[in-house]
Amino acid sequence: MDLLNLAEQVVLWWMCYSCIGWVWETGLNLVLKHKWVDRGALNGPICPIYGNGALLVILLLHDVTNPVALFLGSGVIACTLEYVVSWQYERLFRIRLWDYTDKPFNVNGRVYLNGFLAFGAGATLIKLVVQPGLAHLTAAMPQPWLHIAAWGLLAVAFVDWLISTMGMADMDNRLARLGEDVKAGRLEAIDKANSDMAEANVRMEQRLAQAQRSARDRLDQARDRIDDAILDIRAVGRKGEAAALDRLTGEHVRRALSRQQIRLLRAFPSLRSSARRELTDRIHKLLER
């Protein structure tokens, strides 16, 4: 077997395991949440992290046959890969696609025990049961079909990866612009409160001028009204940003973000922007409706 032939087979293995990962993630979400959500990080029906993890186990543990050793080694490889990918996403795109902070036995919210167990068991099954049959199948493919399948699928995956990466890179900019809209909404709320206070003062003065009361009564009423208005303005200043986030609508989000970015937010309920966590929390609530 020449090197090119082996490389083309590896591409097919990677694509197969990436598709299996997508089916697993999407099917599990459907079973647990009774809701169809495309759980892939790319636009196509693949989860590359599963393909990468499977290949790493196959290549690095190729001579390991003991199930226990394979399970432990696979779990370590898979969790290391997941940790690195999570860190890279946050460093490059300023977003976390997943966050296990609230899970027991997690490491910086990027990996946790259940993932180790699931990936370890799944990779062990793949290495001992699935891979021998898949390798036999790809080795038996006629050369022309192997060339077409490997290079065709690789080209499609690369284009998908490029488009998806551009969308992720643009997400932080779009969230920043959406955050500016939220800030503008907060300032509008404060301006409205100031305007309301001014109108209240005018009405107060008119009533005081017409009222036939003592100077002390008029002064006390004015002082009480002004104190109440000041308290209202301070409350608006403290709650302005939360109020602005509450006024953010799903329609506004759909106008501000691309279809791919909205799909990612739906696919990863724990996706958060490093710089705009409250904003992404609000967007998730809107998209869940």
Side-chain angles (χ1 to χ4, degrees):
M1 181 186 302
D2 60 30
L3 187 59
L4 177 60
N5 184 280
L6 177 60
E8 290 172 341
Q9 290 190 54
V10 170
V11 169
L12 295 186
W13 300 346
W14 176 84
M15 183 62 69
C16 180
Y17 293 129
S18 296
C19 289
I20 290 174
W22 180 86
V23 171
W24 166 258
E25 286 281 346
T26 303
L28 188 64
N29 187 81
L30 185 62
V31 170
L32 295 180
K33 299 184 179 180
H34 307 288
K35 183 179 179 181
W36 169 263
V37 176
D38 182 350
R39 287 279 295 166
L42 303 187
N43 293 301
I46 60 174
C47 287
I49 191 171
Y50 280 85
N52 295 340
L55 288 186
L56 285 174
V57 169
I58 292 168
L59 297 175
L60 296 179
L61 305 179
H62 63 91
D63 57 346
V64 178
T65 56
N66 181 282
V68 175
L70 190 56
F71 169 79
L72 295 175
S74 299
V76 171
I77 290 174
C79 285
T80 302
L81 175 64
E82 187 178 24
Y83 192 99
V84 170
V85 170
S86 172
W87 175 79
Q88 282 185 330
Y89 271 119
E90 189 165 5
R91 182 173 178 269
L92 294 175
F93 308 123
R94 302 181 71 186
I95 60 173
R96 271 200 181 197
L97 288 184
W98 56 83
D99 189 352
Y100 304 129
T101 303
D102 60 337
K103 305 290 185 182
F105 305 105
N106 73 85
V107 181
N108 295 330
R110 302 186 190 278
V111 295
Y112 78 117
L113 180 60
N114 283 12
F116 176 90
L117 299 176
F119 290 141
T124 301
L125 180 66
I126 284 174
K127 173 69 167 52
L128 297 179
V129 180
V130 179
Q131 178 58 23
L134 181 61
H136 177 75
L137 182 64
T138 56
M141 288 182 67
Q143 287 296 313
W145 287 109
L146 180 61
H147 295 329
I148 293 172
W151 290 102
L153 291 173
L154 188 62
V156 171
F158 176 76
V159 172
D160 190 356
W161 171 82
L162 188 61
I163 294 173
S164 301
T165 300
M166 291 171 63
M168 290 182 191
D170 185 49
M171 181 179 285
D172 189 62
N173 293 330
R174 295 197 179 214
L175 287 173
R177 289 196 293 270
L178 194 57
E180 290 300 320
D181 291 343
V182 169
K183 283 186 178 181
R186 178 175 61 83
L187 293 175
E188 288 171 5
I190 294 176
D191 290 341
K192 184 177 183 302
N194 287 331
S195 176
D196 291 344
M197 186 190 71
E199 292 178 4
N201 285 337
V202 170
R203 290 194 299 270
M204 177 188 66
E205 291 174 359
Q206 291 174 347
R207 290 172 184 172
L208 287 175
Q210 295 172 357
Q212 300 298 321
R213 297 179 181 177
S214 67
R216 178 171 295 179
D217 289 340
R218 292 199 298 270
L219 182 61
D220 289 342
Q221 289 179 11
R223 187 178 292 117
D224 290 342
R225 289 176 182 267
I226 290 173
D227 288 343
D228 290 342
I230 290 173
L231 290 175
D232 289 341
I233 292 301
R234 288 176 177 172
V236 170
R238 288 192 301 269
K239 300 178 181 179
E241 188 168 353
L245 284 173
D246 288 340
R247 287 194 298 275
L248 191 63
T249 66
E251 184 63 29
H252 194 175
V253 170
R254 283 186 282 273
R255 288 198 305 267
L257 302 179
S258 70
R259 183 175 301 178
Q260 176 206 344
Q261 291 161 352
I262 292 176
R263 185 190 66 78
L264 278 176
L265 286 160
R266 285 197 172 111
F268 297 92
S270 58
L271 187 155
R272 295 293 182 274
S273 166
S274 302
R276 282 163 280 276
R277 185 178 181 87
E278 292 80 6
L279 176 59
T280 44
D281 285 340
R282 173 61 178 164
I283 291 174
H284 278 296
K285 291 180 182 178
L286 289 171
L287 295 178
E288 288 171 1
R289 294 176 180 174

